[in-house]
Amino acid sequence: MLIMPNKIKKLTLLSAIFLFGFISLAPLQSLAAIDCSQSNLSTQQAIQCGSCQAAGAETCNPGTASGSLNTTITEIINLLSVAIGILAVVMIMIGGFRYITSGGNPESTKSARNTILYS
């Protein structure tokens, strides 16, 4: 079964959306309020409870705490790096597929090599 280029584009787009959705949902786990009265807290939760108690807060909800500008910029850069990395891998895979299916045609081979090179 030969996959048409239009289908490859749709599949690539859907894959990127799917992966980006999972990556963007991962930080949401730490946004839930922490019950600091529990004795089996993780190290990160214990540190967050300690900082909330030091600030005089009765309940600890790290999702509502405002971070510094450096933290925000770092998180944005990390998220963009992951997204660009995933896109580069997908483009290399598409270029490899195009190279394999070029059938020795010099123009198709050159186009596939350029796709791999520029990704």
Side-chain angles (χ1 to χ4, degrees):
M1 181 174 134
L2 182 63
I3 299 175
M4 298 304 199
N6 211 10
K7 288 185 179 182
I8 292 174
K9 290 178 186 177
K10 288 179 184 178
L11 183 63
T12 304
L13 181 63
L14 288 174
S15 299
I17 290 170
F18 183 72
L19 289 173
F20 183 72
F22 276 119
I23 292 169
S24 63
L25 290 177
L28 294 179
Q29 296 172 353
S30 65
L31 297 179
I34 300 171
D35 183 13
C36 295
S37 62
Q38 293 180 355
S39 61
N40 59 348
L41 296 174
S42 68
T43 306
Q44 181 182 7
Q45 290 173 332
I47 292 171
Q48 289 173 344
C49 283
S51 63
C52 287
Q53 290 168 353
E58 293 181 18
T59 59
C60 187
N61 192 352
T64 61
S66 61
S68 68
L69 181 61
N70 289 338
T71 305
T72 304
I73 291 172
T74 301
E75 289 176 0
I76 290 171
I77 289 173
N78 287 340
L79 184 64
L80 287 175
S81 297
V82 169
I84 290 171
I86 290 171
L87 183 63
V89 169
V90 169
M91 290 304 296
I92 289 171
M93 291 171 62
I94 289 172
F97 180 77
R98 288 176 61 195
Y99 191 79
I100 290 171
T101 59
S102 67
N105 184 357
E107 290 130 17
S108 298
T109 306
K110 183 178 178 182
S111 174
R113 275 187 280 160
N114 285 338
T115 301
I116 294 171
L117 177 68
Y118 294 127
S119 62

